[in-house]
Amino acid sequence: MAGRITLTHGDLRFTAIEQGEGPLVLCLHGFPDCYHSFRHQLPFLAEHGYRAVSVSLRGYEPSSQPADGDYSLESIAHDVISFIDQLGEDKAHLIGHDWGAAITYTAGAKAPDRFQSLTTMAVPHSGRFVNEAFFKPKQALLSWYMLFFQLRGIADFTVERNDFAFIRWLWRVWSPGWQPEASALAEVIDTLRQRGVQQGALAYYREALSPKQLPLTPARRAANAYQVPVPTLALTGRDDGCIDCDIFQALCREEDFPNGLETRVVENAGHFLHQEQPDIVNTLLMDWLNRHS
């Protein structure tokens, strides 16, 4: 049975769900989502001999909102390392979807000795994405929301108006043709309703396009093309309406992953591929984890 636990990093407290025993698999959700995102993965992993933990990311509950407003990928990667320590493990398998994927690349690059494997879903190498995505016309159009979220006040109002209709619309656009369980979307909306959570979630985008991250000088571009020396499985949905499948594959390059990269396309799935096609994704996960445990 799954149990709820609390993890910490400094003064921040994070709610997590834990299920199973065995090698640690830590799961990181994205936006607009919550730690219930891996509802189909946790029991499957537990049944197959793994200790699966899905954690609520920094900012997604009042207790994990930093007083200094730090939502940098580097700081959140340190959250992840702290979680592994508290769970009593030297190493973990790390799985990330959307922003969770961006954090996964960063954590793997910063502390490769702490991970047996990485699995990323829906977002390619995050540094390559920053360097190149907005110069690809199709992806620049798809990523309009990242610029929109920079409009403080206007974006905040738009996201929450009409009971977060904007979030419901994003799910439809990013995963066209998918009808999510009513409870899945309700859990996301309930998460965003909590004090400060909407602002925390949007802060990820504001940090990513902050003045200290831009402009893309030669030095910044070189830093963004960092290596991730951990075996990595990168999954994308064929019909993803957020990050184009072909662009995802183009930005996941073997030279950035010296210990191995495998990229797989999940058919009949969009952005939320692990929820849309859980059987396919779980099979891919199990093969990958077993090969690197």
Side-chain angles (χ1 to χ4, degrees), residues 16-239:
I17 303 172
E18 179 180 36
Q19 189 167 357
E21 297 180 355
L24 176 62
V25 182
L26 190 58
C27 303
L28 310 177
H29 68 84
F31 171 90
D33 213 341
C34 64
Y35 68 116
H36 296 290
S37 181
F38 297 93
R39 63 176 59 77
H40 300 296
Q41 283 69 51
L42 264 59
F44 178 84
L45 292 169
E47 289 170 9
H48 289 81
Y50 288 91
R51 179 188 184 192
V53 177
S54 180
V55 62
S56 184
L57 290 180
R58 178 181 288 219
Y60 277 76
E61 54 193 327
S63 61
S64 67
Q65 294 163 9
D68 61 0
D70 184 359
Y71 287 94
S72 66
L73 289 176
E74 291 76 11
S75 294
I76 301 172
H78 286 301
D79 293 342
V80 173
I81 302 304
S82 178
F83 301 156
I84 297 171
D85 290 339
Q86 290 169 64
L87 292 166
E89 300 292 345
D90 294 325
K91 291 191 172 188
H93 298 280
L94 189 58
I95 299 174
H97 173 253
D98 189 82
W99 274 110
I103 297 161
T104 295
Y105 294 120
T106 303
K110 297 292 184 183
D113 58 311
R114 303 305 303 271
F115 302 103
Q116 291 175 278
S117 77
L118 309 179
T119 301
T120 59
M121 295 185 281
V123 170
H125 185 293
S126 52
R128 294 287 186 186
F129 185 83
V130 172
N131 280 354
E132 301 181 33
F134 287 99
F135 298 100
K136 297 179 183 294
K138 182 175 184 179
Q139 188 55 51
L141 288 172
L142 291 177
S143 296
W144 65 271
Y145 65 94
M146 296 184 69
L147 298 175
F148 176 67
F149 288 160
Q150 308 306 310
L151 303 177
R152 297 170 187 268
I154 295 174
D156 298 84
F157 170 76
T158 301
V159 168
E160 69 179 346
R161 71 187 296 266
N162 293 335
D163 193 28
F164 294 92
F166 181 86
I167 298 299
R168 305 172 200 274
W169 176 77
L170 275 187
W171 273 45
R172 292 195 300 272
V173 171
W174 288 359
S175 286
W178 177 48
Q179 295 294 326
E181 307 162 40
S183 61
L185 195 47
E187 287 164 347
V188 174
I189 301 303
D190 287 344
T191 298
L192 290 170
R193 285 196 184 107
Q194 295 179 76
R195 176 178 54 81
V197 170
Q198 176 186 311
Q199 290 73 25
L202 296 185
Y204 284 64
Y205 295 95
R206 291 163 181 169
E207 174 68 27
L209 299 182
S210 68
K212 65 183 177 182
Q213 303 293 343
L214 301 172
L216 289 175
T217 62
R220 170 57 63 184
R221 292 177 67 88
N224 286 343
Y226 57 83
Q227 290 200 327
V228 184
V230 182
T232 300
L233 173 65
L235 305 178
T236 177
R238 176 70 71 188
D239 306 318

